């Protein structure tokens, strides 16, 4: 049997430095896990902790499932009842984790690039960091599971037409996905409210009108309207849920206009009847359920890459 190249990384915090080969190798590894494959047996325990300072249902559960499937020892951490409430910094929390013997931290935090201090530390800190979402910055694991879901359906990214629609400025999913899709040769289009679009995204794709682009694309990537990141944003009040749905959402009418083989993706949580009609969440073209399933296997591949990169668990 042909052995795949396995990816090794010290941390997994951004997607921009991944090579095409690494992306495909991670997807293949995740597919191997999905088919029931298991990782090399760990001969020493690997300790991992999930530090979620922002709310999460699927990412947190999915990481924990991936960790347990890999045979890691999961050290519980509850941000709401931690010393963070007494003013402890993220660096200090990480130092505690390191000092007590945690090997890898999976972190979600509202501060963009919170990880810079942790991956370039000046002191004793030496713990692997996997980014489970930083503010409106990056969301590598959602991005990688999205790439896996697209690859499973189309087998390639070259010239695939992908529309990323919605609150692009505030979405970390959009940032990671536009970077990787572009790198992998897909043609990226953006649509949605213009004031949640920034010119700086032009280097990854083309801002277009939703009804012009929809009948042409292979993949429709919907984004949640990020209400929690709109404090002080005058546009938040611009339209009601109904108006958003009419202008930028996918309902029955737009669904019917999609190409035969096209798919719809949404990272969740969905604002029902806003980005996507409630009736279409589990429609045939919707990958919503598959994305959540794939999330476990992709996160196994990502965690394994960090285990290898740090030579943990007796793996060489
Ligand atoms: C995303 C996130 O947290 O960025 N959710 C997720 O992890 N699946 C998307 C979102 O919250 O809109």
């Amino acid at each position: 049997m042909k052995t795949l190249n396995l990816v090794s990384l010290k941390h997994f915090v951004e997607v921009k430095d991944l090579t095409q080969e690494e992306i495909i190798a991670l997807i293949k590894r995740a597919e191997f896990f999905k088919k029931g494959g298991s990782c090399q047996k760990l001969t020493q325990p690997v300790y991992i902790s999930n530090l979620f300072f922002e709310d999460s249902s699927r990412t947190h559960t999915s990481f924990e499932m991936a960790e347990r499937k890999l045979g890691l020892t999961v050290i519980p951490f509850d941000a709401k009842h931690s010393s963070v409430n007494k003013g402890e910094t993220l660096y200090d929390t990480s130092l505690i984790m390191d000092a007590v013997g945690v090997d890898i931290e999976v972190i979600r935090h509202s501060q963009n690039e919170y990880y810079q201090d942790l991956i370039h530390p000046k002191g004793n800190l030496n713990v692997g960091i996997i980014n489970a979402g930083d503010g409106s910055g990056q969301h590598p694991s959602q991005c990688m599971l999205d790439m896996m879901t697209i690859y499973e359906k189309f087998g390639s990214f070259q010239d695939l037409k992908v529309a990323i629609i919605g609150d692009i400025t505030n979405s970390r999913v959009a940032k990671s996905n536009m970077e990787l899709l572009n790198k992998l040769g897909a043609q990226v289009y953006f649509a949605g409210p213009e004031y949640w679009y920034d010119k700086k995204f032009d280097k990854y794709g083309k801002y277009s009108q939703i009804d012009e682009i929809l009948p042409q694309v292979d993949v429709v990537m919907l984004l949640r309207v990020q209400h929690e990141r709109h404090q002080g944003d005058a546009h938040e009040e611009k339209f009601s849920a109904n108006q958003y749905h009419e202008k930028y959402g996918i309902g029955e009418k737009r669904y019917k206009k999609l190409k035969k083989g096209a798919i719809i993706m949404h990272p969740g949580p969905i604002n029902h009847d806003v980005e996507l009609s409630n009736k279409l969440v589990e429609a045939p073209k919707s990958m919503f359920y598959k994305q959540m399933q794939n999330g476990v296997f992709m996160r196994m591949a990502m965690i394994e890459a960090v285990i290898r990169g740090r030579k943990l668990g007796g793996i060489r």
Side-chain angles (χ1 to χ4, degrees):
M1 201 175 83
K2 192 169 166 274
T3 44
L4 277 166
N5 286 335
L6 293 177
V7 178
S8 296
L9 297 167
K10 281 259 182 250
H11 305 281
F12 208 134
V13 293
E14 295 174 338
V15 291
K16 69 172 166 32
D17 296 330
L18 292 173
T19 63
Q20 287 207 28
E21 291 68 32
E22 283 173 327
I23 298 162
I24 301 298
L26 284 162
I27 292 174
K28 300 253 184 215
R29 190 64 174 163
E31 285 178 340
F32 166 79
F33 288 137
K34 191 173 178 178
K35 286 188 198 122
S38 42
C39 80
Q40 193 187 320
K41 196 152 174 45
L42 304 176
T43 54
Q44 289 156 22
V46 176
Y47 297 100
I48 192 159
S49 191
N50 302 306
L51 287 71
F52 278 66
F53 298 94
E54 273 192 345
D55 296 339
S56 172
S57 306
R58 85 210 71 222
T59 305
H60 194 162
T61 317
S62 172
F63 262 113
E64 187 152 340
M65 183 60 87
E67 291 155 7
R68 290 179 188 276
K69 278 179 180 269
L70 288 171
L72 309 197
T73 306
V74 184
I75 303 299
F77 178 85
D78 178 0
K80 290 203 171 73
H81 296 100
S82 69
S83 289
V84 170
N85 298 328
K86 304 180 198 165
E88 185 173 275
T89 64
L90 183 56
Y91 185 92
D92 288 344
T93 313
S94 295
L95 208 55
I96 298 168
M97 292 293 155
D98 188 331
V100 302
V102 168
D103 301 297
I104 303 172
E105 291 179 298
V106 175
I107 303 181
R108 167 171 287 190
H109 200 279
S110 59
Q111 189 193 320
N112 283 29
E113 295 192 40
Y114 69 79
Y115 45 82
Q116 295 296 357
D117 272 1
L118 311 181
I119 61 172
H120 305 119
K122 293 174 200 81
N124 287 308
L125 189 65
N126 181 20
V127 62
I129 307 293
I130 300 179
N131 182 10
D134 62 298
S136 59
Q138 293 285 318
H139 197 338
S141 67
Q142 182 68 43
C143 171
M144 289 303 302
L145 77 89
D146 285 348
M147 296 307 123
M148 175 184 180
T149 307
I150 294 173
Y151 192 82
E152 260 184 356
K153 169 81 186 169
F154 298 99
S156 156
F157 296 91
Q158 195 59 47
D159 297 328
L160 214 60
K161 292 188 172 169
V162 184
I164 302 181
I165 303 173
D167 186 357
I168 300 168
T169 295
N170 296 295
S171 166
R172 51 194 174 209
V173 177
K175 311 289 170 39
S176 295
N177 280 350
M178 68 177 82
E179 284 178 18
L180 275 208
L181 285 165
N182 187 264
K183 179 175 277 186
L184 292 165
Q187 292 175 30
V188 179
Y189 299 88
F190 300 108
E194 255 184 282
Y195 38 81
W196 287 335
Y197 183 76
D198 193 308
K199 277 261 162 238
K200 69 179 181 223
F201 306 140
D202 283 355
K203 71 172 171 181
Y204 300 107
K206 188 168 177 280
Y207 182 81
S208 316
Q209 294 309 310
I210 183 165
D211 290 308
E212 266 170 45
I213 198 66
L214 268 190
Q216 302 174 41
V217 297
D218 303 292
V219 180
V220 179
M221 240 176 213
L222 301 174
L223 304 170
R224 183 177 64 88
V225 177
Q226 307 272 301
H227 296 294
E228 73 278 27
R229 303 192 205 283
H230 291 168
Q231 281 90 357
D233 179 345
H235 300 303
E236 168 78 13
E237 307 284 310
K238 270 263 159 147
F239 27 54
S240 65
N242 269 346
Q243 286 164 330
Y244 183 97
H245 189 63
E246 273 297 303
K247 282 186 95 162
Y248 309 110
I250 303 289
E252 307 264 10
K253 241 165 80 191
R254 288 198 173 111
Y255 187 88
K256 286 197 183 112
K257 291 200 175 132
L258 292 172
K259 270 174 37 179
K260 191 157 169 275
I263 59 170
I264 299 175
M265 303 174 77
H266 193 305
I270 296 174
N271 290 310
H272 288 259
D273 293 327
V274 181
E275 302 99 35
L276 182 62
S277 157
N278 187 33
K279 289 197 194 101
L280 297 174
V281 173
E282 295 182 71
K285 290 183 191 316
S286 168
M287 296 292 118
F288 187 58
Y289 185 75
K290 196 177 266 282
Q291 285 172 278
M292 295 189 284
Q293 284 183 316
N294 285 347
V296 173
F297 305 108
M298 179 46 81
R299 290 181 172 110
M300 288 173 76
M302 293 171 64
I303 296 166
E304 187 195 39
V306 177
I307 292 177
R308 298 185 75 82
R310 305 184 79 80
K311 300 194 173 22
L312 298 168
I315 282 189
R316 271 183 291 136

